[in-house]
Amino acid sequence: MSKSLQAIRGMNDILPEQTPLWRYFENTVARLLDNYGYKQIRMPIVEFTELFKRSIGEVTDIVEKEMYTFEDRNGDSLTLRPEGTAACVRAVLEHGLTGAGQPQKLWYIGPMFRHERPQKGRYRQFHQIGLEVFNIDGPDIDAELIVLTWRLWGLLGIRDAVKLELNSLGTSESRGRYKVALVEYLSAHLDKLDEDSQRRLKTNPLRVLDTKNADTQAVLVNAPKMADYLDDESRAHFEGLKARLDAAGIPFVINTKLVRGLDYYSKTVFEWVTDKLGAQGTVCAGGRYDGLVEQMGGKPTTGVGFAMGIERLILLLETLEQVPEEISRQVDVYLCAFGEAAELAALALSEKVRDQLPNLRLQVNAGAGSFKSQFKKADKSGALYALILGDDELAQQVIGFKPLRGQGEQQNIAFDALAAHLATCVVQG
Ligand code: ATP
Ligand code: MG
């Protein structure tokens, strides 16, 4: 195939054999979020570039080097969204959803775009499910976000493989004081820092904390600790969160180096990480961003949220072999019909059955074919039962009912009794 007809590197097709797992995952999350009282919001995939620059921050990896930015035909600079929070805040402000201090518990799902080096668990188009909560400022809601993800890991069967890391970044004032101390300390050891960290020291010094460079890590051992600079309010908030996680029985570790890549966080930050996926181990990450809404032109409005990477969680389900067997079977019953008269009768009959059993997954053979070929298709479809309609059956107004997975004998069922019979043998979702 010529190169121009290939998908863009790092942007993947999700093929039919994979979609059942995606839908199982998405449905599980959606049901859980419904149950916790979160409402879905859907934002556009493209926004003005300015939105991301203002919210995410100019000196972040995303804005510096990962955005897909282009000029529209009328000269506007647009960007494919690299994350969901900015657009969600924009939408909330534009539609006055948080006016008068009204709380909102929102979630979204969809593709995000970042120009990164593609590798396992890291793509240029990837998918997130994100939650954002506005105007609830206590640690109770931070705890709820974590509790519900913990429940999700339980539903998915991956609890043992993920670990919660927590930190508090304090308010922007206490973080500002800490930044000064950190810069002072690191400047005194400038020659021992890697090149990236030297640059970050000037642009975004907290990012030095999550360096992967061993020499810089050695310098950081004696660096000032963020915890020592926390203001009382942030400290109390953090204690409140930890007490709630203890009460819910959720294990966590404090990681004082956890700073997150985006500028807008304050107080709580957290990540769920796994050691089962190699370097791309963070499956869900988030935190509190109390200053963001105001920074984007709204009234002071507290916020807290997270996003999980769907590809990484799907990889984890596959790695841990936590893919429920039943999700790959998409057909309950496969109807084979032989000859035009039988095909016509089959169509009428199958539509009548669908009227009575709206959730039945009934596949009617298309494209005719011999007994052997239709039967092969029935078997390959994964159906539990085949229905067989030829001239003989038609004459008697019955249809052959044949279990395909060794559950009993073949028998003839009267047309009128078919729906009732299927209702007794197929569990309908
Ligand atoms: P990382 O440190 O891995 O680059 P990040 O801090 O940039 O992650 P966030 O912006 O917090 O990631 O996004 C939340 C989640 O989305 C991540 O924890 C991860 O699961 C997922 N994610 C982020 N970038 C990618 C990507 N390029 N490909 C696949 N999943 C991603
Ligand atoms: Mg990143």
Side-chain angles (χ1 to χ4, degrees):
M1 197 164 40
S2 84
K3 193 154 194 291
S4 60
L5 291 180
Q6 285 176 357
I8 296 164
R9 202 162 100 84
M11 302 203 181
N12 301 312
D13 298 306
I14 299 165
L15 297 175
E17 66 190 42
Q18 298 167 295
T19 50
L21 182 54
W22 278 71
R23 288 180 58 179
Y24 156 72
F25 176 81
E26 290 163 1
N27 293 341
T28 305
V29 182
R31 204 173 327 115
L32 179 82
L33 296 179
D34 283 348
N35 294 350
Y36 275 86
Y38 289 74
K39 300 208 174 85
Q40 193 184 16
I41 181 168
R42 302 188 185 201
M43 299 84 65
I45 285 170
V46 186
E47 299 271 356
F48 288 117
T49 304
E50 190 56 26
L51 172 70
F52 302 114
K53 286 194 175 165
R54 259 173 62 184
S55 60
I56 298 169
E58 299 261 7
V59 279
T60 53
D61 284 352
I62 292 182
V63 172
E64 274 184 341
K65 53 190 188 201
E66 293 175 359
M67 294 208 298
Y68 279 91
T69 297
F70 59 97
E71 206 170 277
D72 192 3
R73 283 177 192 276
N74 36 18
D76 294 323
S77 178
L78 307 183
T79 293
L80 297 182
R81 63 180 185 196
E83 52 104 60
T85 304
C88 185
V89 169
R90 197 257 323 126
V92 157
L93 286 177
E94 191 167 334
H95 302 285
L97 301 188
T98 53
Q102 194 185 336
Q104 286 288 350
K105 303 205 307 186
L106 304 173
W107 71 279
Y108 57 81
I109 179 171
M112 306 293 160
F113 302 85
R114 298 184 193 177
H115 197 276
E116 307 197 63
R117 192 169 69 78
Q119 52 199 291
K120 184 183 169 196
R122 189 175 296 283
Y123 311 99
R124 291 182 172 172
Q125 173 172 334
F126 62 100
H127 298 77
Q128 287 182 337
I129 290 182
L131 269 69
E132 314 291 352
V133 178
F134 299 100
N135 281 324
I136 305 180
D137 53 15
D140 52 351
I141 194 70
D142 304 26
E144 178 173 284
L145 291 177
I146 290 170
V147 165
L148 72 84
T149 45
W150 176 247
R151 179 165 297 280
L152 178 63
W153 312 146
L155 291 170
L156 296 172
I158 58 175
R159 251 188 203 173
D160 293 343
V162 290
K163 198 176 77 182
L164 174 62
E165 299 195 350
L166 274 188
N167 194 19
S168 175
L169 301 180
T171 57
S172 64
E173 295 79 46
S174 64
R175 199 161 61 251
R177 283 197 301 278
Y178 173 64
K179 255 188 214 172
V180 172
L182 183 68
V183 169
E184 196 184 348
Y185 171 84
L186 291 177
S187 300
H189 299 81
L190 197 60
D191 52 327
K192 295 194 206 83
L193 303 184
D194 63 285
E195 217 174 285
D196 236 12
S197 295
Q198 291 190 3
R199 191 176 54 83
R200 281 175 169 166
L201 186 59
K202 298 204 188 70
T203 55
N204 196 347
L206 290 187
R207 292 306 307 279
V208 177
L209 293 177
D210 64 2
T211 181
K212 301 271 184 294
N213 182 282
D215 296 334
T216 304
Q217 281 176 346
V219 173
L220 285 170
V221 171
N222 293 317
K225 299 280 172 283
M226 187 142 33
D228 297 331
Y229 288 77
L230 276 193
D231 52 290
D232 291 345
E233 187 197 331
S234 301
R235 201 184 299 275
H237 187 98
F238 200 36
E239 291 307 318
L241 171 59
K242 290 190 279 186
R244 283 168 175 82
L245 296 178
D246 285 338
I250 299 176
F252 58 86
V253 294
I254 307 289
N255 175 358
T256 54
K257 305 239 167 70
L258 187 64
V259 291
R260 311 282 309 117
L262 308 129
D263 261 2
Y264 50 57
Y265 287 109
S266 56
K267 290 185 181 159
T268 311
V269 288
F270 66 91
E271 291 193 357
W272 287 99
V273 294
T274 177
D275 57 8
K276 302 281 187 286
L277 296 179
Q280 272 55 251
T282 304
V283 294
C284 175
R288 186 160 272 282
Y289 49 84
D290 289 344
L292 179 63
V293 176
E294 200 177 1
Q295 180 189 316
M296 288 173 64
K299 293 204 188 80
T301 304
T302 62
V304 57
F306 68 71
M308 56 181 98
I310 303 184
E311 280 83 356
R312 291 186 193 176
L313 285 160
I314 297 272
L315 273 171
L316 189 56
L317 289 173
E318 289 170 337
T319 306
L320 299 175
E321 298 182 1
Q322 288 295 334
V323 179
E325 225 168 86
E326 65 276 10
I327 63 168
S328 54
R329 194 175 58 77
Q330 295 188 290
V331 179
D332 298 319
V333 181
Y334 192 102
L335 195 161
C336 310
F338 305 96
E340 171 127 10
E343 277 184 22
L344 295 180
L347 180 60
L349 179 61
S350 59
E351 288 305 307
K352 224 171 102 191
V353 168
R354 289 186 213 279
D355 286 342
Q356 290 172 268
L357 303 175
N359 293 326
L360 183 73
R361 298 177 301 178
L362 168 60
Q363 186 166 330
V364 177
N365 183 73
S370 66
F371 185 84
K372 200 172 149 199
S373 84
Q374 289 198 35
F375 213 72
K376 221 163 138 186
K377 284 197 272 177
D379 190 47
K380 216 175 142 201
S381 76
L384 296 173
Y385 303 97
L387 295 172
I388 298 150
L389 190 57
D391 288 337
D392 292 348
E393 288 85 5
L394 187 54
Q396 300 170 52
Q397 296 285 291
V398 297
I399 192 160
F401 173 87
K402 182 173 167 55
L404 294 173
R405 319 277 154 207
Q407 337 79 316
E409 292 300 299
Q410 179 165 349
Q411 54 181 304
N412 284 340
I413 312 276
F415 282 2
D416 288 342
L418 181 59
H421 182 74
L422 291 174
T424 62
C425 47
V426 180
V427 182
Q428 293 169 65

PDB file of all heavy atoms in Angstrom, residues 353-375:
ATOM      1  N   VAL A 353     -39.664 -11.749  16.104  1.00  0.00           N
ATOM      2  CA  VAL A 353     -38.929 -12.140  17.312  1.00  0.00           C
ATOM      3  C   VAL A 353     -38.257 -10.918  17.937  1.00  0.00           C
ATOM      4  O   VAL A 353     -38.253 -10.730  19.162  1.00  0.00           O
ATOM      5  CB  VAL A 353     -37.887 -13.236  16.981  1.00  0.00           C
ATOM      6  CG1 VAL A 353     -36.928 -13.446  18.141  1.00  0.00           C
ATOM      7  CG2 VAL A 353     -38.600 -14.540  16.635  1.00  0.00           C
ATOM      8  N   ARG A 354     -37.680 -10.050  17.094  1.00  0.00           N
ATOM      9  CA  ARG A 354     -37.025  -8.842  17.634  1.00  0.00           C
ATOM     10  C   ARG A 354     -38.034  -7.932  18.340  1.00  0.00           C
ATOM     11  O   ARG A 354     -37.690  -7.262  19.317  1.00  0.00           O
ATOM     12  CB  ARG A 354     -36.344  -8.040  16.517  1.00  0.00           C
ATOM     13  CG  ARG A 354     -35.099  -8.691  15.944  1.00  0.00           C
ATOM     14  CD  ARG A 354     -34.428  -7.719  14.947  1.00  0.00           C
ATOM     15  NE  ARG A 354     -33.775  -8.426  13.862  1.00  0.00           N
ATOM     16  CZ  ARG A 354     -32.558  -8.985  13.955  1.00  0.00           C
ATOM     17  NH1 ARG A 354     -31.899  -8.915  15.091  1.00  0.00           N
ATOM     18  NH2 ARG A 354     -32.024  -9.595  12.920  1.00  0.00           N
ATOM     19  N   ASP A 355     -39.274  -7.894  17.799  1.00  0.00           N
ATOM     20  CA  ASP A 355     -40.309  -7.098  18.475  1.00  0.00           C
ATOM     21  C   ASP A 355     -40.504  -7.597  19.900  1.00  0.00           C
ATOM     22  O   ASP A 355     -40.657  -6.824  20.834  1.00  0.00           O
ATOM     23  CB  ASP A 355     -41.658  -7.225  17.747  1.00  0.00           C
ATOM     24  CG  ASP A 355     -41.681  -6.446  16.438  1.00  0.00           C
ATOM     25  OD1 ASP A 355     -40.819  -5.559  16.268  1.00  0.00           O
ATOM     26  OD2 ASP A 355     -42.558  -6.755  15.590  1.00  0.00           O
ATOM     27  N   GLN A 356     -40.511  -8.927  20.031  1.00  0.00           N
ATOM     28  CA  GLN A 356     -40.808  -9.506  21.344  1.00  0.00           C
ATOM     29  C   GLN A 356     -39.586  -9.554  22.257  1.00  0.00           C
ATOM     30  O   GLN A 356     -39.720  -9.487  23.473  1.00  0.00           O
ATOM     31  CB  GLN A 356     -41.390 -10.911  21.160  1.00  0.00           C
ATOM     32  CG  GLN A 356     -42.798 -10.862  20.567  1.00  0.00           C
ATOM     33  CD  GLN A 356     -43.286 -12.255  20.218  1.00  0.00           C
ATOM     34  OE1 GLN A 356     -43.118 -12.722  19.096  1.00  0.00           O
ATOM     35  NE2 GLN A 356     -43.870 -12.921  21.200  1.00  0.00           N
ATOM     36  N   LEU A 357     -38.411  -9.692  21.667  1.00  0.00           N
ATOM     37  CA  LEU A 357     -37.175  -9.796  22.457  1.00  0.00           C
ATOM     38  C   LEU A 357     -36.173  -8.735  21.980  1.00  0.00           C
ATOM     39  O   LEU A 357     -35.222  -9.047  21.266  1.00  0.00           O
ATOM     40  CB  LEU A 357     -36.550 -11.187  22.301  1.00  0.00           C
ATOM     41  CG  LEU A 357     -37.412 -12.392  22.663  1.00  0.00           C
ATOM     42  CD1 LEU A 357     -36.670 -13.685  22.328  1.00  0.00           C
ATOM     43  CD2 LEU A 357     -37.784 -12.369  24.141  1.00  0.00           C
ATOM     44  N   PRO A 358     -36.393  -7.494  22.369  1.00  0.00           N
ATOM     45  CA  PRO A 358     -35.581  -6.401  21.803  1.00  0.00           C
ATOM     46  C   PRO A 358     -34.088  -6.535  22.113  1.00  0.00           C
ATOM     47  O   PRO A 358     -33.278  -5.948  21.417  1.00  0.00           O
ATOM     48  CB  PRO A 358     -36.158  -5.142  22.457  1.00  0.00           C
ATOM     49  CG  PRO A 358     -37.355  -5.555  23.223  1.00  0.00           C
ATOM     50  CD  PRO A 358     -37.389  -7.040  23.335  1.00  0.00           C
ATOM     51  N   ASN A 359     -33.718  -7.280  23.142  1.00  0.00           N
ATOM     52  CA  ASN A 359     -32.294  -7.391  23.488  1.00  0.00           C
ATOM     53  C   ASN A 359     -31.626  -8.636  22.924  1.00  0.00           C
ATOM     54  O   ASN A 359     -30.441  -8.861  23.152  1.00  0.00           O
ATOM     55  CB  ASN A 359     -32.115  -7.366  24.998  1.00  0.00           C
ATOM     56  CG  ASN A 359     -32.494  -6.012  25.570  1.00  0.00           C
ATOM     57  OD1 ASN A 359     -32.281  -4.991  24.923  1.00  0.00           O
ATOM     58  ND2 ASN A 359     -33.090  -6.014  26.746  1.00  0.00           N
ATOM     59  N   LEU A 360     -32.394  -9.434  22.202  1.00  0.00           N
ATOM     60  CA  LEU A 360     -31.806 -10.658  21.630  1.00  0.00           C
ATOM     61  C   LEU A 360     -30.799 -10.277  20.547  1.00  0.00           C
ATOM     62  O   LEU A 360     -31.065  -9.433  19.695  1.00  0.00           O
ATOM     63  CB  LEU A 360     -32.913 -11.525  21.016  1.00  0.00           C
ATOM     64  CG  LEU A 360     -32.433 -12.856  20.444  1.00  0.00           C
ATOM     65  CD1 LEU A 360     -32.076 -13.819  21.568  1.00  0.00           C
ATOM     66  CD2 LEU A 360     -33.498 -13.464  19.536  1.00  0.00           C
ATOM     67  N   ARG A 361     -29.649 -10.936  20.598  1.00  0.00           N
ATOM     68  CA  ARG A 361     -28.648 -10.671  19.561  1.00  0.00           C
ATOM     69  C   ARG A 361     -28.793 -11.746  18.489  1.00  0.00           C
ATOM     70  O   ARG A 361     -28.260 -12.841  18.600  1.00  0.00           O
ATOM     71  CB  ARG A 361     -27.262 -10.634  20.186  1.00  0.00           C
ATOM     72  CG  ARG A 361     -27.193  -9.485  21.212  1.00  0.00           C
ATOM     73  CD  ARG A 361     -25.882  -9.413  21.919  1.00  0.00           C
ATOM     74  NE  ARG A 361     -25.576 -10.635  22.623  1.00  0.00           N
ATOM     75  CZ  ARG A 361     -24.437 -10.820  23.291  1.00  0.00           C
ATOM     76  NH1 ARG A 361     -23.521  -9.876  23.326  1.00  0.00           N
ATOM     77  NH2 ARG A 361     -24.212 -11.957  23.925  1.00  0.00           N
ATOM     78  N   LEU A 362     -29.579 -11.404  17.502  1.00  0.00           N
ATOM     79  CA  LEU A 362     -29.986 -12.350  16.465  1.00  0.00           C
ATOM     80  C   LEU A 362     -29.362 -11.938  15.145  1.00  0.00           C
ATOM     81  O   LEU A 362     -29.610 -10.839  14.653  1.00  0.00           O
ATOM     82  CB  LEU A 362     -31.528 -12.321  16.361  1.00  0.00           C
ATOM     83  CG  LEU A 362     -32.163 -13.015  15.170  1.00  0.00           C
ATOM     84  CD1 LEU A 362     -31.824 -14.495  15.140  1.00  0.00           C
ATOM     85  CD2 LEU A 362     -33.682 -12.820  15.208  1.00  0.00           C
ATOM     86  N   GLN A 363     -28.525 -12.787  14.605  1.00  0.00           N
ATOM     87  CA  GLN A 363     -27.923 -12.483  13.310  1.00  0.00           C
ATOM     88  C   GLN A 363     -28.560 -13.359  12.252  1.00  0.00           C
ATOM     89  O   GLN A 363     -28.565 -14.585  12.374  1.00  0.00           O
ATOM     90  CB  GLN A 363     -26.416 -12.703  13.365  1.00  0.00           C
ATOM     91  CG  GLN A 363     -25.726 -12.250  12.087  1.00  0.00           C
ATOM     92  CD  GLN A 363     -24.220 -12.151  12.253  1.00  0.00           C
ATOM     93  OE1 GLN A 363     -23.724 -11.880  13.346  1.00  0.00           O
ATOM     94  NE2 GLN A 363     -23.489 -12.389  11.190  1.00  0.00           N
ATOM     95  N   VAL A 364     -29.113 -12.707  11.218  1.00  0.00           N
ATOM     96  CA  VAL A 364     -29.743 -13.444  10.122  1.00  0.00           C
ATOM     97  C   VAL A 364     -28.722 -13.589   9.006  1.00  0.00           C
ATOM     98  O   VAL A 364     -28.075 -12.608   8.628  1.00  0.00           O
ATOM     99  CB  VAL A 364     -30.997 -12.692   9.625  1.00  0.00           C
ATOM    100  CG1 VAL A 364     -31.616 -13.421   8.432  1.00  0.00           C
ATOM    101  CG2 VAL A 364     -32.019 -12.556  10.755  1.00  0.00           C
ATOM    102  N   ASN A 365     -28.561 -14.777   8.506  1.00  0.00           N
ATOM    103  CA  ASN A 365     -27.577 -14.997   7.439  1.00  0.00           C
ATOM    104  C   ASN A 365     -27.877 -14.086   6.259  1.00  0.00           C
ATOM    105  O   ASN A 365     -29.026 -13.948   5.841  1.00  0.00           O
ATOM    106  CB  ASN A 365     -27.616 -16.457   6.991  1.00  0.00           C
ATOM    107  CG  ASN A 365     -26.560 -16.746   5.943  1.00  0.00           C
ATOM    108  OD1 ASN A 365     -25.382 -16.804   6.270  1.00  0.00           O
ATOM    109  ND2 ASN A 365     -26.985 -16.885   4.693  1.00  0.00           N
ATOM    110  N   ALA A 366     -26.843 -13.458   5.724  1.00  0.00           N
ATOM    111  CA  ALA A 366     -26.990 -12.672   4.496  1.00  0.00           C
ATOM    112  C   ALA A 366     -26.038 -13.241   3.464  1.00  0.00           C
ATOM    113  O   ALA A 366     -24.966 -13.719   3.810  1.00  0.00           O
ATOM    114  CB  ALA A 366     -26.676 -11.210   4.782  1.00  0.00           C
ATOM    115  N   GLY A 367     -26.463 -13.212   2.209  1.00  0.00           N
ATOM    116  CA  GLY A 367     -25.592 -13.725   1.158  1.00  0.00           C
ATOM    117  C   GLY A 367     -25.846 -15.183   0.822  1.00  0.00           C
ATOM    118  O   GLY A 367     -25.004 -15.828   0.200  1.00  0.00           O
ATOM    119  N   ALA A 368     -27.005 -15.699   1.227  1.00  0.00           N
ATOM    120  CA  ALA A 368     -27.423 -17.083   0.920  1.00  0.00           C
ATOM    121  C   ALA A 368     -26.318 -18.091   1.233  1.00  0.00           C
ATOM    122  O   ALA A 368     -25.637 -17.941   2.242  1.00  0.00           O
ATOM    123  CB  ALA A 368     -27.896 -17.188  -0.526  1.00  0.00           C
ATOM    124  N   GLY A 369     -26.128 -19.074   0.375  1.00  0.00           N
ATOM    125  CA  GLY A 369     -25.078 -20.074   0.599  1.00  0.00           C
ATOM    126  C   GLY A 369     -25.647 -21.442   0.902  1.00  0.00           C
ATOM    127  O   GLY A 369     -26.816 -21.582   1.283  1.00  0.00           O
ATOM    128  N   SER A 370     -24.801 -22.459   0.720  1.00  0.00           N
ATOM    129  CA  SER A 370     -25.208 -23.843   0.943  1.00  0.00           C
ATOM    130  C   SER A 370     -25.432 -24.072   2.439  1.00  0.00           C
ATOM    131  O   SER A 370     -25.047 -23.255   3.270  1.00  0.00           O
ATOM    132  CB  SER A 370     -24.102 -24.778   0.461  1.00  0.00           C
ATOM    133  OG  SER A 370     -22.960 -24.591   1.281  1.00  0.00           O
ATOM    134  N   PHE A 371     -26.011 -25.229   2.750  1.00  0.00           N
ATOM    135  CA  PHE A 371     -26.194 -25.592   4.155  1.00  0.00           C
ATOM    136  C   PHE A 371     -24.860 -25.544   4.883  1.00  0.00           C
ATOM    137  O   PHE A 371     -24.718 -24.960   5.947  1.00  0.00           O
ATOM    138  CB  PHE A 371     -26.810 -26.997   4.254  1.00  0.00           C
ATOM    139  CG  PHE A 371     -27.141 -27.384   5.661  1.00  0.00           C
ATOM    140  CD1 PHE A 371     -28.343 -26.995   6.246  1.00  0.00           C
ATOM    141  CD2 PHE A 371     -26.228 -28.118   6.421  1.00  0.00           C
ATOM    142  CE1 PHE A 371     -28.632 -27.330   7.560  1.00  0.00           C
ATOM    143  CE2 PHE A 371     -26.519 -28.449   7.736  1.00  0.00           C
ATOM    144  CZ  PHE A 371     -27.727 -28.062   8.300  1.00  0.00           C
ATOM    145  N   LYS A 372     -23.848 -26.132   4.226  1.00  0.00           N
ATOM    146  CA  LYS A 372     -22.541 -26.239   4.867  1.00  0.00           C
ATOM    147  C   LYS A 372     -21.949 -24.848   5.149  1.00  0.00           C
ATOM    148  O   LYS A 372     -21.447 -24.575   6.240  1.00  0.00           O
ATOM    149  CB  LYS A 372     -21.603 -27.043   3.954  1.00  0.00           C
ATOM    150  CG  LYS A 372     -20.428 -27.608   4.690  1.00  0.00           C
ATOM    151  CD  LYS A 372     -19.632 -28.544   3.801  1.00  0.00           C
ATOM    152  CE  LYS A 372     -18.166 -28.480   4.210  1.00  0.00           C
ATOM    153  NZ  LYS A 372     -17.274 -28.965   3.187  1.00  0.00           N
ATOM    154  N   SER A 373     -22.036 -23.971   4.151  1.00  0.00           N
ATOM    155  CA  SER A 373     -21.379 -22.663   4.328  1.00  0.00           C
ATOM    156  C   SER A 373     -22.127 -21.811   5.359  1.00  0.00           C
ATOM    157  O   SER A 373     -21.520 -21.123   6.166  1.00  0.00           O
ATOM    158  CB  SER A 373     -21.237 -21.940   2.984  1.00  0.00           C
ATOM    159  OG  SER A 373     -22.412 -21.246   2.667  1.00  0.00           O
ATOM    160  N   GLN A 374     -23.468 -21.883   5.346  1.00  0.00           N
ATOM    161  CA  GLN A 374     -24.221 -21.097   6.340  1.00  0.00           C
ATOM    162  C   GLN A 374     -23.962 -21.630   7.750  1.00  0.00           C
ATOM    163  O   GLN A 374     -23.844 -20.863   8.706  1.00  0.00           O
ATOM    164  CB  GLN A 374     -25.728 -21.135   6.045  1.00  0.00           C
ATOM    165  CG  GLN A 374     -26.107 -20.341   4.795  1.00  0.00           C
ATOM    166  CD  GLN A 374     -27.593 -20.001   4.748  1.00  0.00           C
ATOM    167  OE1 GLN A 374     -28.214 -19.751   5.780  1.00  0.00           O
ATOM    168  NE2 GLN A 374     -28.158 -19.987   3.559  1.00  0.00           N
ATOM    169  N   PHE A 375     -23.864 -22.930   7.812  1.00  0.00           N
ATOM    170  CA  PHE A 375     -23.657 -23.527   9.135  1.00  0.00           C
ATOM    171  C   PHE A 375     -22.289 -23.161   9.702  1.00  0.00           C
ATOM    172  O   PHE A 375     -22.132 -22.905  10.889  1.00  0.00           O
ATOM    173  CB  PHE A 375     -23.811 -25.041   9.020  1.00  0.00           C
ATOM    174  CG  PHE A 375     -24.386 -25.619  10.257  1.00  0.00           C
ATOM    175  CD1 PHE A 375     -25.730 -25.410  10.575  1.00  0.00           C
ATOM    176  CD2 PHE A 375     -23.590 -26.325  11.147  1.00  0.00           C
ATOM    177  CE1 PHE A 375     -26.258 -25.906  11.746  1.00  0.00           C
ATOM    178  CE2 PHE A 375     -24.109 -26.820  12.312  1.00  0.00           C
ATOM    179  CZ  PHE A 375     -25.449 -26.620  12.616  1.00  0.00           C
TER     180      PHE A 375
END
